[in-house]
Amino acid sequence: MTVTRIEEPVADAAAPPETSDRQPDVKPKNNRAWLLVLPVVVSVAFTAVIPLMTVVNFSVQDIFSPSDRIFVGLEWFRSVSRDPEVRSAFLRTLMFSAQVLLVEIPLGVAIAVSMPRRGVWVSAALVVVALPLLIPWNVVGTIWQIFARADIGLGGWTVNNVLGVDFNYTLDSTDAWITVLVMDVWHWTPLVALLAYAGLRSIPDPYFQAAQIDGASGWATFRHIQLPRLRGVLTIAILLRFMDSFMIYTEPFVVTGGGPGNATSFLSILLSKIAVGQFDLGPAGAFSLLYFLIVQIVSYVFFTVLTRSGR
Amino acid sequence: MKPVATRRLPWARTVFWLYAATLMLPLLWMLGMSIRPNEDILGSFSLLPQRVTFDNYRTFFTDSAWYSSYLNSIVYTSINAVLSLVVALPAAYAFSRFRFAGDKHLFFWLLTNRMAPPAVFLLPFFQIYQSVGLFDTHLGVAIAHMLFNVPLAVWILEGFMSGIPREIDETAAVDGYSLPRFFVRIFLPMIRSAIGVTAFFCFMFSWVELLIARTITSVNAKPIAATMTRTVSAAGVDWGLLATAGVLTIIPGAIVIWFVRNYIAKGFALGRV
Amino acid sequence: MADVRLEGVGHSYDGGRTWALKPMTWTWRSGRAYALLGPSGCGKTTLLNIISGLLTPTEGRIWLDDREVTAVPTAARNIAQVFQFPVLYEEMSVYDNLAFPLRNRRYPKAEIDQRVRGVSRLLGLDDHLGRRSRRLDPGRQQIVSLGRGLVRSDVAAVLLDEPLTVVDPALKWTLRSKLKEIHRDTGHTLIYVTHDQTEALTFADEVVVLNDGAIVQAGEPAELFLSPAHEFVGHFIGSPGMNVLPAEIAADGVVRVGQSAVGRAVGDLPPGPVRVGVRPEFVTVGGGRATPGLSAEVTGVDRMGAYNLVHARADGHALVAKVDAASSYAPGAVEFFRFATDRAFLFRDAVRCGSLAPLEGGGAA
């Protein structure tokens, strides 16, 4: 007698939830492992350490010409940190990052919750959502450069003619800011959404089934089952989005060039203006190091706070 | 059985596809612009193209400045993906299997490189790559992009590798496999999906990066992004051609997503982007 | 406590091509503890999900007592379900976990407290009420999951889907006993799904064997063991399972395995192929050639400690007998294997159609 097995769709989520895949930390000690790590160390040294050292070198010198330079110690650091233009760029970038986080995190989670989780539409949904992430950043800028214009862009034209609001991002500072913000939301929310989606997908079905049996409302289910699971991925999402928005360059540069005036001149844009535009190596070097340091420190703080609160 | 979660929110699906449609709007708009003649674009505003022309596409594929820069981008992203993987695989293995002096510090230091503002590296890259003869070469850009891709690759691969029990390594050693042979014949096939995910992210971050790529190239290895700035001239902006280039740069990305669509969720699930 | 009645309930996941559950009519009687036993993929979880309302059957109707619930959503069905692994609200304390279903249904606070403490006492969770549920061991977490099901006043039936899968073997025994205890105290209808026959046989009042989407036999554990109505039951229950020998019923009603006449068919059976089924427990070796039975060549003996398993070959088919640990049989020797008269059955198309009786006047004592 053959027993034909009928396929009961045991969804990928019907298995017990994965506890950590990691093995207990009883790794053998072996210093020869350094040989395996050597290629990475070399590549990173070449791409990161040496350039950084060059930057450090510049930052403490006043360079009139390649052969004419004098050591000035921390003077550049002092002047850069006192520079009002640098300070306002710093505040501007900070505010931008804050707004980015406030919009993109909740929006990304909302999208993740509403994305199809099973069936034929899953792949299509994933591709559509992921698409903005794979567009070269200058093209993202180009897309929005076109789209937000009142004369040739659907977005700009609609706002001006259908909503009746005067919108011109080349002339008006607020309009420029909004355009850059909307562009970033359009561009990067998918990252948050995909991270959150992966987190949600890892929740086995029985949790939802149990919630149904327990009579939980949609909101209660979200609060008690989905949200706790999202904590890990959201930490990473917040960290990444903060870092990347704080270092943003290409997209706003293509759309507004940092203008009008310096309404959208974020730190990176200002830095590249000084470094590559004016070729002021000394101040550029000091600026770079301060910038780098700020990003590292804030990321570290963010990371510690977010992971600590999860315990 | 309908996915249980969505039974509570029947309207969620509609909201999602509405979002998807809105998302596509700017892209579709650019697509429309790429097939309209410039006079129409600047002339009067209309929702749908009134005259359709493929002149821009023709220009793109016949003008060597355009399509060669397109190829340049493809070439250096591919080289970068390969290099990053080759360098990251042994390192990830070391991190996942062994403890060694300074391992935690090294790992952390690697991650901090992901958090470096690219703008900081413009000037030194410009000078260094010129002095070692890597300026304006595909290899140069590929190496430069390893700055942020190698840490990422190590991070992702290490995560996957730690999920494979060490017993497999031990069994292979008992069976007489040398480390390289074990790695290539047994281990690599097991982490196939990890390699796929890593390659995807390396490709993604290299393909989209403009600042560094533009800084260390001029003619030979000029990325498509740099060529796109060529459309700005005294006569104004060649919107049609610009839009065409834009559309074409999205295609490799879309293709790559399609191929790795099953791994996307898995890769993000590690939360290690 | 309610009767769960299934009428013509069947389910297909692929629009009718294959049926995970073939249309069946069955009543789970109120207050009984049932074990739903079957191999992986036989439709147990499908059946359970249909009862709890997580799945709407392609065909058929369901009643809880006299209320038809086929279209009624899960939350309104008064069913509690425990899953294969602990399903908890991990961030909440044990108390809050137990209180959750009641809070959702807006029970008054005093009643919630009373019920939660009642269940907690019943399940031995009093010491853990304040702890975060995430910190408990899996066994206790499962108990909390179960508690969430018991805490409601209106529970008609409790469904358990292989609930002890993630529990330590040492703890399994204790938990199973506890479940029986709870069943005695609360009197809920219990349906316990498992693929482990030991679990099923020790736990249930009545065992329902499911195979290939259909109920194959249902009855008390002893009944399933002593008189299997289906070949599958014989094979699945018991360790080792039932012996099955292909045979033929001749026109004269004699059943032959190969050339040997093993006995006489009892039951109104036309001649033709048939299969003889008899459990190793009811096969004795040596001691005369009384039918029903046949000669076979011993191929090996497994010493299991408390008993021996004698393996033999008859007409090319395997035969196993469970014998005393003290006996010994040499491989290669030909012995006579005798079947207990009322424990040897005949099967056609896997269904029992008759039994085997001694040949008339056959065999000396």
Side-chain angles (χ1 to χ4, degrees):
Chain A
M1 173 183 82
T2 44
V3 182
T4 38
R5 292 200 57 211
I6 306 231
E7 291 294 305
E8 273 193 67
V10 177
D12 58 309
E18 279 171 23
T19 44
S20 175
D21 265 336
R22 295 181 162 273
Q23 308 157 72
D25 222 339
V26 284
K27 298 192 272 199
K29 194 170 171 76
N30 183 351
N31 282 331
R32 275 172 43 229
W34 266 99
L35 288 172
L36 293 171
V37 181
L38 215 49
V40 159
V41 173
V42 166
S43 75
V44 172
F46 181 70
T47 55
V49 176
I50 296 179
L52 267 182
M53 279 172 10
T54 323
V55 172
V56 172
N57 194 14
F58 290 152
S59 68
V60 290
Q61 297 184 39
D62 199 346
I63 300 168
F64 299 105
S65 74
S67 48
D68 188 8
R69 43 176 79 187
I70 51 172
F71 184 79
V72 292
L74 296 176
E75 195 184 304
W76 288 132
F77 288 92
R78 253 177 252 128
S79 69
V80 161
S81 54
R82 289 210 193 101
D83 187 339
E85 213 183 342
V86 172
R87 287 194 171 179
S88 56
F90 176 70
L91 288 170
R92 214 173 287 134
T93 315
L94 215 57
M95 185 152 84
F96 181 70
S97 291
Q99 290 177 359
V100 156
L101 286 177
L102 278 171
V103 173
E104 290 181 13
I105 303 292
L107 184 59
V109 171
I111 293 169
V113 167
S114 62
M115 271 172 79
R117 227 154 293 159
R118 219 158 319 186
V120 289
W121 291 112
V122 173
S123 298
L126 278 175
V127 172
V128 167
V129 170
L131 203 51
L133 293 174
L134 271 135
I135 304 177
W137 296 346
N138 71 306
V139 177
V140 173
T142 309
I143 293 174
W144 281 89
Q145 189 185 13
I146 298 174
F147 195 74
R149 274 174 69 123
D151 51 353
I152 57 173
L154 182 59
W157 187 86
T158 315
V159 171
N160 273 306
N161 299 23
V162 171
L163 297 178
V165 175
D166 249 333
F167 184 86
N168 186 333
Y169 70 79
T170 46
L171 294 178
D172 182 291
S173 303
T174 321
D175 292 347
W177 183 271
I178 293 176
T179 308
V180 173
L181 190 61
V182 170
M183 171 176 64
D184 194 275
V185 168
W186 181 88
H187 187 189
W188 288 107
T189 309
L191 184 67
V192 182
L194 285 175
L195 278 170
Y197 180 73
L200 290 177
R201 265 251 292 236
S202 69
I203 303 177
D205 255 353
Y207 280 88
F208 295 107
Q209 293 168 346
Q212 267 197 304
I213 292 172
D214 289 340
S217 66
W219 173 247
T221 310
F222 177 72
R223 216 182 120 218
H224 295 289
I225 295 179
Q226 292 170 300
L227 210 50
R229 285 301 183 108
L230 285 179
R231 181 173 302 147
V233 284
L234 282 188
T235 308
I236 293 165
I238 293 175
L239 197 61
L240 282 176
R241 281 319 302 140
F242 169 76
M243 273 171 10
D244 288 343
S245 64
F246 198 73
M247 304 192 286
I248 199 172
Y249 173 82
T250 313
E251 299 102 304
F253 184 73
V254 171
V255 176
T256 61
N262 44 15
T264 55
S265 284
F266 302 112
L267 279 174
S268 280
I269 294 181
L270 183 61
L271 172 56
S272 66
K273 214 189 296 179
I274 298 178
V276 183
Q278 298 160 233
F279 234 70
D280 260 342
L281 301 180
F287 189 154
S288 297
L289 288 178
L290 285 175
Y291 193 10
F292 193 93
L293 210 61
I294 294 173
V295 171
Q296 299 279 341
I297 293 176
V298 180
S299 302
Y300 181 73
V301 168
F302 247 111
F303 182 73
T304 319
V305 166
L306 287 171
T307 47
R308 236 8 105 65
S309 74
R311 287 292 145 261
Chain B
M1 173 153 71
K2 243 200 207 164
V4 175
T6 59
R7 273 207 256 167
R8 306 169 287 105
L9 299 166
W11 44 268
R13 286 289 168 273
T14 351
V15 166
F16 172 72
W17 290 112
L18 219 66
Y19 161 78
T22 324
L23 192 92
M24 298 294 282
L25 217 51
L27 291 173
L28 292 172
W29 186 252
M30 192 173 69
L31 180 65
M33 195 158 289
S34 69
I35 53 176
R36 298 163 85 180
N38 271 340
E39 310 83 58
D40 279 15
I41 295 175
L42 296 166
S44 61
F45 183 88
S46 65
L47 208 54
L48 291 170
Q50 289 178 321
R51 287 186 294 166
V52 173
T53 167
F54 290 100
D55 277 345
N56 291 318
Y57 286 92
R58 215 168 295 136
T59 314
F60 192 92
F61 288 112
T62 50
D63 186 343
S64 73
W66 280 105
Y67 68 73
S68 64
S69 64
Y70 193 64
L71 284 171
N72 287 339
S73 295
I74 295 186
V75 168
Y76 72 64
T77 43
S78 312
I79 299 179
N80 172 272
V82 169
L83 282 179
S84 300
L85 274 172
V86 163
V87 157
L89 277 167
Y93 184 76
F95 280 117
S96 118
R97 293 303 194 240
F98 303 113
R99 285 178 300 139
F100 47 92
D103 55 359
K104 287 202 173 45
H105 301 286
L106 184 61
F107 199 67
F108 181 71
W109 175 64
L110 276 180
L111 293 188
T112 59
N113 283 312
R114 169 76 177 69
M115 303 180 222
V120 165
F121 293 95
L122 289 185
L123 207 44
F125 271 15
F126 189 75
Q127 299 197 326
I128 293 176
Y129 281 66
Q130 268 199 324
S131 56
V132 296
L134 280 177
F135 187 79
D136 204 20
T137 60
H138 299 105
L139 186 60
V141 184
I143 292 179
H145 281 178
M146 285 169 77
L147 166 70
F148 44 79
N149 271 346
V150 164
L152 186 67
V154 171
W155 200 18
I156 296 179
L157 288 170
E158 193 270 337
F160 273 99
M161 286 183 184
S162 294
I164 297 189
R166 222 173 294 126
E167 279 72 38
I168 302 212
D169 303 37
E170 290 161 8
T171 315
V174 165
D175 284 348
Y177 278 86
S178 65
L179 185 59
R181 206 167 140 235
F182 154 72
F183 197 77
V184 172
R185 284 178 163 275
I186 301 183
F187 201 66
L188 282 190
M190 295 183 89
I191 52 169
R192 248 189 331 237
S193 66
I195 296 181
V197 169
T198 311
F200 166 72
F201 282 118
C202 285
F203 170 83
M204 174 179 142
F205 283 114
S206 179
W207 178 253
V208 300
E209 204 282 331
L210 162 69
L211 193 51
I212 293 178
R214 199 182 60 179
T215 308
I216 59 175
T217 59
S218 63
V219 176
N220 293 328
K222 182 145 80 157
I224 179 71
T227 314
M228 283 172 75
T229 57
R230 225 177 70 139
T231 53
V232 182
S233 67
V237 182
D238 191 343
W239 295 111
L241 199 50
L242 192 63
T244 308
V247 168
L248 289 170
T249 50
I250 298 181
I251 292 177
I255 294 177
V256 171
I257 302 182
W258 180 253
F259 274 115
V260 299
R261 66 191 182 280
N262 294 323
Y263 299 121
I264 290 180
K266 191 167 188 184
F268 276 93
L270 280 193
R272 287 164 174 262
V273 177
Chain C
M1 292 124 273
D3 277 357
V4 180
R5 187 154 53 99
L6 306 170
E7 196 177 278
V9 168
H11 192 75
S12 165
Y13 286 106
D14 52 18
R17 254 183 309 132
T18 53
W19 289 82
L21 211 58
K22 306 201 169 76
M24 60 169 66
T25 300
W26 176 257
T27 304
W28 307 87
R29 294 206 312 279
S30 165
R32 305 257 293 168
Y34 291 91
L36 185 54
L37 177 67
S40 305
C42 69
K44 318 191 286 288
T45 307
T46 308
L47 183 54
L48 215 65
N49 285 339
I50 287 177
I51 297 175
S52 63
L54 295 169
L55 190 57
T56 313
T58 323
E59 264 183 32
R61 294 149 79 190
I62 310 159
W63 276 267
L64 286 178
D65 277 337
D66 23 346
R67 184 166 80 118
E68 184 178 349
V69 293
T70 319
V72 172
T74 310
R77 262 196 218 197
N78 313 326
I79 296 277
Q81 189 161 348
V82 179
F83 300 90
Q84 267 175 308
F85 52 89
V87 175
L88 299 173
Y89 304 100
E90 289 166 355
E91 302 299 310
M92 298 201 247
S93 67
V94 172
Y95 185 97
D96 288 330
N97 258 277
L98 295 175
F100 191 67
L102 302 177
R103 290 195 179 131
N104 285 329
R105 290 176 168 83
R106 312 221 180 286
Y107 280 44
K109 227 170 181 190
E111 193 180 340
I112 294 182
D113 190 67
Q114 179 205 23
R115 299 199 134 265
V116 167
R117 293 196 185 279
V119 168
S120 157
R121 207 176 315 124
L122 182 66
L123 297 173
L125 290 171
D126 280 336
D127 293 335
H128 306 279
L129 276 180
R131 295 179 68 192
R132 242 205 221 171
S133 53
R134 193 161 34 135
R135 301 201 181 282
L136 301 175
D137 60 275
R140 206 154 268 131
Q141 286 184 335
Q142 270 297 44
I143 294 182
V144 175
S145 301
L146 178 63
R148 256 203 349 267
L150 297 175
V151 86
R152 284 152 49 198
S153 57
D154 55 352
V155 171
V158 179
L159 312 176
L160 303 110
D161 193 349
E162 309 201 44
L164 300 180
T165 311
V166 294
V167 173
D168 272 340
L171 199 51
K172 270 196 224 215
W173 209 93
T174 329
L175 284 182
R176 237 184 282 140
S177 318
K178 178 142 240 142
L179 272 174
K180 280 220 88 147
E181 210 180 283
I182 292 171
H183 177 241
R184 262 201 310 271
D185 287 345
T186 59
H188 286 132
T189 317
L190 278 186
I191 303 177
Y192 186 106
V193 167
T194 178
H195 61 266
D196 180 334
Q197 46 159 322
T198 325
E199 242 179 30
L201 296 174
T202 53
F203 171 80
D205 295 333
E206 192 170 330
V207 177
V208 177
V209 180
L210 204 65
N211 187 41
D212 214 7
I215 295 182
V216 148
Q217 186 176 357
E220 295 185 9
E223 194 186 317
L224 264 69
F225 186 78
L226 296 174
S227 37
H230 194 279
E231 237 184 84
F232 176 75
V233 176
H235 149 79
F236 194 74
I237 294 185
S239 170
M242 184 173 74
N243 289 302
V244 175
L245 297 168
E248 181 96 21
I249 301 185
D252 54 0
V254 172
V255 179
R256 284 190 173 74
V257 173
Q259 300 301 339
S260 342
V262 297
R264 183 165 294 281
V266 173
D268 201 3
L269 295 167
V274 81
R275 282 150 79 87
V276 175
V278 61
R279 290 200 182 278
E281 287 82 354
F282 302 120
V283 178
T284 45
V285 186
R289 310 180 116 258
T291 56
L294 80 174
S295 298
E297 182 185 333
V298 176
T299 54
V301 177
D302 287 341
R303 295 186 189 286
M304 310 299 281
Y307 56 90
N308 286 354
L309 288 176
V310 180
H311 295 271
R313 246 185 147 59
D315 190 40
H317 301 287
L319 183 62
V320 181
K322 207 175 204 181
V323 300
D324 203 71
S327 54
S328 72
Y329 299 97
V334 172
E335 303 279 352
F336 190 82
F337 290 76
R338 191 161 152 222
F339 308 156
T341 313
D342 42 1
R343 297 280 169 244
F345 303 103
L346 299 173
F347 294 88
R348 263 200 179 132
D349 292 326
V351 176
R352 190 173 86 201
C353 54
S355 60
L356 206 54
L359 292 167
E360 262 167 8

